[in-house]
Amino acid sequence: MHGALADPASPAIEVRGLRKLYGEKAAVDGLDLTVPRGCFYGFLGPNGAGKTTTIRMLIGLARPTAGEIRLLGLPMPERALDIKRRIGLVPEESLLFERLTGAEFLQFAGRMYGLDRATAASRAAELLEFFRLNDSPRKLIAEYSKGMRKRLMMAAALIHRPELFLLDEPFEGVDAVGARIMKDLLLDQVRRGATVFLTSHVLEVVERLCDRVAILNQGRIVLEAAVSDLHSAAETLEDAFVRLVGAGQGLEKPDWL
Ligand code: ATP
């Protein structure tokens, strides 16, 4: 039924048998994943594990070789437009418009997400202030630093109060104050029932924020667990991570090092 509302009890993210081949190599190799609504979910793995490729498939930027994706109960890519209005994104490389100011970009994002002009403008102004990006309001995005870009992407992800956040390294390059603002905001979003799915290499941060984690290695999930279960097994997330993907640990160091 076209335009049917998704079942609100369906998981925020459901992935079955997801695969992505680049040439002969599987970047993502048969991924099954269920992220319940209202969950703060950490998607971890070493460099090259397939995290960004997975997120790119979730948001329709890369086409899966095989598998099924449902976001908020809706199939992707068939219902991509409906889905995109209900998710907030911080992609790995920023999809920003260099010749706009921060305020213009946020207003544009708000309008794209279906807000009326007045609401988009007022929320854009409030978000700029909240993320401390309003010191030089005429500055173009081309002149933004890396951390400022991440702050702006996070602001754009929030402007339409989405139900699901897909965030690729959202704190990378953001200073301690900015990162604290983002973390507190994301925890607030989860408290109001939204779902957060993020990648990060900073395991202490993940451990503090996330309810559940998956660890990906060579395109496959090697651990899926509640953070509290790891703790009751007397393991830190870092211990589990190194145990599961730490191949190469204990390699001989060259003499000169
Ligand atoms: P990182 O933590 O370093 O960001 P990641 O887990 O996000 O890593 P991906 O960027 O998803 O890893 O890459 C997974 C694998 O797919 C890597 O081997 C990478 O070289 C390969 N890959 C990614 N994008 C492409 C592409 N466009 N063409 C060919 N290979 C690719």
Side-chain angles (χ1 to χ4, degrees):
M1 189 165 64
H2 184 70
L5 283 178
D7 171 8
S10 57
I13 302 176
E14 253 184 309
V15 165
R16 292 290 163 258
L18 191 64
R19 257 169 88 72
K20 178 72 181 176
L21 291 177
Y22 286 116
E24 304 268 281
K25 187 182 164 3
V28 174
D29 196 6
L31 193 70
D32 294 317
L33 189 70
T34 302
V35 177
R37 299 231 188 184
C39 187
F40 207 132
Y41 200 98
F43 192 52
L44 315 177
N47 295 132
K51 305 179 296 295
T52 295
T53 305
T54 301
I55 291 195
R56 286 172 58 80
M57 288 192 281
L58 292 183
I59 64 183
L61 281 177
R63 185 196 292 264
T65 309
E68 284 172 28
I69 298 170
R70 294 182 84 84
L71 298 183
L72 302 167
L74 300 171
M76 188 74 180
E78 292 83 352
R79 300 286 298 275
L81 273 182
D82 297 316
I83 291 170
K84 283 179 184 171
R85 287 203 157 194
R86 293 166 57 187
I87 64 179
L89 303 176
V90 174
E92 190 192 38
E93 74 272 32
S94 50
L95 309 168
L96 295 167
F97 296 85
E98 303 279 321
R99 305 305 299 170
L100 298 183
T101 66
E104 287 166 346
F105 175 71
L106 288 181
Q107 286 178 46
F108 171 76
R111 296 287 286 154
M112 293 302 289
Y113 284 129
L115 301 180
D116 63 65
R117 195 175 298 279
T119 308
S122 67
R123 287 191 185 179
E126 286 165 341
L127 283 165
L128 276 185
E129 184 164 341
F130 191 77
F131 281 97
R132 308 189 184 181
L133 287 168
N134 58 350
D135 290 349
S136 32
R138 302 178 73 86
K139 190 176 266 200
L140 299 178
I141 292 171
E143 301 163 302
Y144 270 31
S145 73
K146 184 175 180 184
M148 291 169 76
R149 285 164 178 259
K150 281 274 158 143
R151 287 173 191 236
L152 189 63
M153 285 308 289
M154 182 66 94
L158 285 155
I159 198 163
H160 55 308
R161 285 175 60 81
E163 291 160 65
L164 170 61
F165 292 84
L166 299 172
L167 313 173
D168 203 345
E169 294 282 355
F171 313 120
E172 194 185 30
V174 177
D175 67 40
V177 174
R180 171 60 71 84
I181 292 173
M182 285 187 185
K183 289 175 209 163
D184 288 346
L185 254 178
L186 290 174
L187 286 168
D188 285 345
Q189 301 300 307
V190 169
R191 275 183 217 113
R192 74 161 171 85
T195 309
V196 175
F197 182 82
L198 64 76
T199 74
S200 174
H201 289 296
V202 188
L203 299 184
E204 294 81 6
V205 168
V206 171
E207 197 150 32
R208 205 139 29 85
L209 294 176
C210 292
D211 308 310
R212 295 192 74 82
V213 291
I215 298 179
L216 196 67
N217 194 24
Q218 299 184 351
R220 293 166 184 248
I221 290 190
V222 291
L223 176 83
E224 208 282 329
V227 172
S228 57
D229 288 348
L230 286 179
H231 289 166
S232 43
E235 212 177 20
T236 65
L237 189 51
E238 188 182 58
D239 293 335
F241 189 94
V242 173
R243 175 169 59 77
L244 289 161
V245 304
Q249 281 282 307
L251 282 182
E252 285 271 313
K253 196 167 59 161
D255 291 345
W256 55 269
L257 258 181

Short mmCIF file of all heavy atoms in Angstrom, two decimals, residues 67-94:
data_model
loop_
_atom_site.label_atom_id
_atom_site.label_comp_id
_atom_site.label_asym_id
_atom_site.label_seq_id
_atom_site.Cartn_x
_atom_site.Cartn_y
_atom_site.Cartn_z
N GLY A 67 21.11 -8.49 -0.39
CA GLY A 67 20.61 -8.29 0.97
C GLY A 67 19.44 -7.32 1.04
O GLY A 67 19.06 -6.70 0.04
N GLU A 68 18.87 -7.23 2.23
CA GLU A 68 17.69 -6.40 2.45
C GLU A 68 17.92 -5.42 3.58
O GLU A 68 18.55 -5.75 4.58
CB GLU A 68 16.50 -7.27 2.86
CG GLU A 68 15.90 -8.01 1.70
CD GLU A 68 14.87 -9.01 2.16
OE1 GLU A 68 14.25 -8.79 3.23
OE2 GLU A 68 14.71 -10.02 1.45
N ILE A 69 17.37 -4.22 3.40
CA ILE A 69 17.48 -3.17 4.41
C ILE A 69 16.09 -2.63 4.68
O ILE A 69 15.35 -2.29 3.75
CB ILE A 69 18.37 -2.00 3.90
CG1 ILE A 69 19.80 -2.48 3.62
CG2 ILE A 69 18.36 -0.84 4.89
CD1 ILE A 69 20.65 -1.45 2.89
N ARG A 70 15.73 -2.54 5.96
CA ARG A 70 14.51 -1.82 6.36
C ARG A 70 14.91 -0.82 7.43
O ARG A 70 15.57 -1.17 8.41
CB ARG A 70 13.45 -2.77 6.92
CG ARG A 70 12.91 -3.74 5.91
CD ARG A 70 11.84 -4.62 6.52
NE ARG A 70 10.54 -4.00 6.50
CZ ARG A 70 9.71 -4.01 5.46
NH1 ARG A 70 10.05 -4.62 4.37
NH2 ARG A 70 8.55 -3.42 5.54
N LEU A 71 14.51 0.43 7.22
CA LEU A 71 14.74 1.46 8.23
C LEU A 71 13.38 1.94 8.69
O LEU A 71 12.50 2.25 7.87
CB LEU A 71 15.53 2.64 7.64
CG LEU A 71 16.94 2.34 7.13
CD1 LEU A 71 17.62 3.62 6.66
CD2 LEU A 71 17.79 1.66 8.18
N LEU A 72 13.17 1.99 10.00
CA LEU A 72 11.90 2.42 10.59
C LEU A 72 10.74 1.62 9.98
O LEU A 72 9.65 2.15 9.75
CB LEU A 72 11.70 3.93 10.38
CG LEU A 72 12.82 4.79 10.98
CD1 LEU A 72 12.73 6.22 10.48
CD2 LEU A 72 12.78 4.76 12.51
N GLY A 73 11.00 0.36 9.66
CA GLY A 73 9.97 -0.52 9.13
C GLY A 73 9.75 -0.40 7.64
O GLY A 73 8.93 -1.13 7.08
N LEU A 74 10.46 0.51 6.97
CA LEU A 74 10.25 0.75 5.54
C LEU A 74 11.42 0.19 4.74
O LEU A 74 12.58 0.33 5.14
CB LEU A 74 10.14 2.25 5.25
CG LEU A 74 9.00 2.97 5.96
CD1 LEU A 74 9.13 4.47 5.77
CD2 LEU A 74 7.66 2.49 5.40
N PRO A 75 11.13 -0.41 3.57
CA PRO A 75 12.22 -1.00 2.78
C PRO A 75 13.04 0.09 2.08
O PRO A 75 12.49 1.06 1.56
CB PRO A 75 11.49 -1.87 1.77
CG PRO A 75 10.14 -1.27 1.63
CD PRO A 75 9.81 -0.65 2.96
N MET A 76 14.34 -0.10 2.09
CA MET A 76 15.29 0.78 1.40
C MET A 76 15.84 -0.02 0.23
O MET A 76 16.24 -1.17 0.45
CB MET A 76 16.39 1.16 2.39
CG MET A 76 17.35 2.20 1.92
SD MET A 76 16.55 3.80 1.94
CE MET A 76 17.88 4.81 1.36
N PRO A 77 15.88 0.49 -1.00
CA PRO A 77 15.64 1.88 -1.40
C PRO A 77 14.21 2.20 -1.83
O PRO A 77 13.94 3.35 -2.17
CB PRO A 77 16.58 2.04 -2.59
CG PRO A 77 16.58 0.69 -3.24
CD PRO A 77 16.45 -0.30 -2.12
N GLU A 78 13.29 1.22 -1.80
CA GLU A 78 11.95 1.46 -2.36
C GLU A 78 11.27 2.68 -1.73
O GLU A 78 10.56 3.42 -2.39
CB GLU A 78 11.06 0.22 -2.17
CG GLU A 78 11.47 -1.00 -2.98
CD GLU A 78 12.57 -1.80 -2.32
OE1 GLU A 78 13.14 -1.33 -1.30
OE2 GLU A 78 12.88 -2.89 -2.82
N ARG A 79 11.46 2.86 -0.42
CA ARG A 79 10.80 3.98 0.28
C ARG A 79 11.81 5.04 0.71
O ARG A 79 11.65 5.68 1.76
CB ARG A 79 10.02 3.44 1.49
CG ARG A 79 8.93 2.42 1.13
CD ARG A 79 7.72 3.09 0.50
NE ARG A 79 7.09 4.04 1.40
CZ ARG A 79 6.18 3.71 2.32
NH1 ARG A 79 5.78 2.48 2.42
NH2 ARG A 79 5.68 4.63 3.12
N ALA A 80 12.84 5.21 -0.12
CA ALA A 80 13.95 6.09 0.26
C ALA A 80 13.49 7.50 0.63
O ALA A 80 13.98 8.07 1.62
CB ALA A 80 14.98 6.14 -0.87
N LEU A 81 12.55 8.05 -0.11
CA LEU A 81 12.15 9.44 0.18
C LEU A 81 11.51 9.56 1.55
O LEU A 81 11.82 10.46 2.33
CB LEU A 81 11.19 9.94 -0.89
CG LEU A 81 11.85 10.55 -2.11
CD1 LEU A 81 10.79 11.05 -3.09
CD2 LEU A 81 12.78 11.70 -1.70
N ASP A 82 10.59 8.64 1.85
CA ASP A 82 9.92 8.66 3.16
C ASP A 82 10.94 8.45 4.28
O ASP A 82 10.86 9.06 5.34
CB ASP A 82 8.87 7.56 3.26
CG ASP A 82 7.77 7.75 2.24
OD1 ASP A 82 7.32 8.89 2.10
OD2 ASP A 82 7.40 6.77 1.59
N ILE A 83 11.89 7.55 4.02
CA ILE A 83 12.89 7.24 5.04
C ILE A 83 13.77 8.46 5.28
O ILE A 83 14.01 8.85 6.42
CB ILE A 83 13.75 6.03 4.59
CG1 ILE A 83 12.91 4.75 4.60
CG2 ILE A 83 14.97 5.87 5.50
CD1 ILE A 83 13.58 3.55 3.97
N LYS A 84 14.23 9.09 4.20
CA LYS A 84 15.19 10.19 4.36
C LYS A 84 14.61 11.36 5.15
O LYS A 84 15.34 12.07 5.84
CB LYS A 84 15.70 10.64 2.99
CG LYS A 84 16.73 9.66 2.44
CD LYS A 84 17.24 10.06 1.07
CE LYS A 84 18.19 9.00 0.55
NZ LYS A 84 18.56 9.23 -0.85
N ARG A 85 13.31 11.55 5.05
CA ARG A 85 12.69 12.63 5.83
C ARG A 85 12.71 12.34 7.32
O ARG A 85 12.51 13.24 8.14
CB ARG A 85 11.23 12.79 5.42
CG ARG A 85 11.11 13.42 4.09
CD ARG A 85 9.77 14.06 3.95
NE ARG A 85 9.88 15.09 2.92
CZ ARG A 85 8.99 16.02 2.72
NH1 ARG A 85 7.91 16.07 3.48
NH2 ARG A 85 9.16 16.91 1.78
N ARG A 86 12.90 11.07 7.67
CA ARG A 86 12.78 10.69 9.09
C ARG A 86 14.11 10.31 9.71
O ARG A 86 14.14 9.85 10.84
CB ARG A 86 11.77 9.54 9.20
CG ARG A 86 10.37 10.02 8.81
CD ARG A 86 9.41 8.89 8.58
NE ARG A 86 9.31 8.02 9.72
CZ ARG A 86 8.64 6.88 9.73
NH1 ARG A 86 8.03 6.47 8.63
NH2 ARG A 86 8.57 6.15 10.81
N ILE A 87 15.19 10.48 8.94
CA ILE A 87 16.49 10.18 9.53
C ILE A 87 17.40 11.41 9.51
O ILE A 87 17.22 12.32 8.69
CB ILE A 87 17.20 8.99 8.83
CG1 ILE A 87 17.51 9.29 7.37
CG2 ILE A 87 16.36 7.73 8.95
CD1 ILE A 87 18.21 8.14 6.66
N GLY A 88 18.34 11.43 10.45
CA GLY A 88 19.35 12.49 10.51
C GLY A 88 20.71 11.87 10.24
O GLY A 88 21.02 10.81 10.78
N LEU A 89 21.50 12.53 9.40
CA LEU A 89 22.75 11.92 8.95
C LEU A 89 23.96 12.77 9.29
O LEU A 89 23.93 13.97 9.12
CB LEU A 89 22.77 11.83 7.41
CG LEU A 89 21.65 11.08 6.73
CD1 LEU A 89 21.83 11.20 5.23
CD2 LEU A 89 21.68 9.63 7.17
N VAL A 90 25.02 12.10 9.74
CA VAL A 90 26.35 12.72 9.68
C VAL A 90 27.21 11.73 8.90
O VAL A 90 27.69 10.75 9.45
CB VAL A 90 26.93 13.00 11.08
CG1 VAL A 90 28.37 13.50 10.95
CG2 VAL A 90 26.10 14.04 11.82
N PRO A 91 27.36 11.95 7.59
CA PRO A 91 28.17 11.03 6.80
C PRO A 91 29.65 11.25 7.05
O PRO A 91 30.04 12.27 7.62
CB PRO A 91 27.81 11.37 5.35
CG PRO A 91 27.16 12.69 5.38
CD PRO A 91 26.79 13.04 6.79
N GLU A 92 30.46 10.28 6.59
CA GLU A 92 31.90 10.36 6.86
C GLU A 92 32.51 11.59 6.20
O GLU A 92 33.13 12.42 6.85
CB GLU A 92 32.61 9.09 6.38
CG GLU A 92 34.03 9.04 6.87
CD GLU A 92 34.83 7.97 6.17
OE1 GLU A 92 34.65 7.76 4.96
OE2 GLU A 92 35.66 7.35 6.86
N GLU A 93 32.28 11.71 4.90
CA GLU A 93 32.76 12.94 4.26
C GLU A 93 31.55 13.87 4.17
O GLU A 93 30.45 13.43 3.87
CB GLU A 93 33.40 12.66 2.88
CG GLU A 93 32.44 12.34 1.78
CD GLU A 93 32.10 10.85 1.68
OE1 GLU A 93 32.07 10.16 2.74
OE2 GLU A 93 31.83 10.39 0.59
N SER A 94 31.78 15.14 4.48
CA SER A 94 30.62 16.00 4.60
C SER A 94 30.06 16.35 3.23
O SER A 94 30.79 16.64 2.28
CB SER A 94 30.96 17.25 5.39
OG SER A 94 32.11 17.84 4.87
#
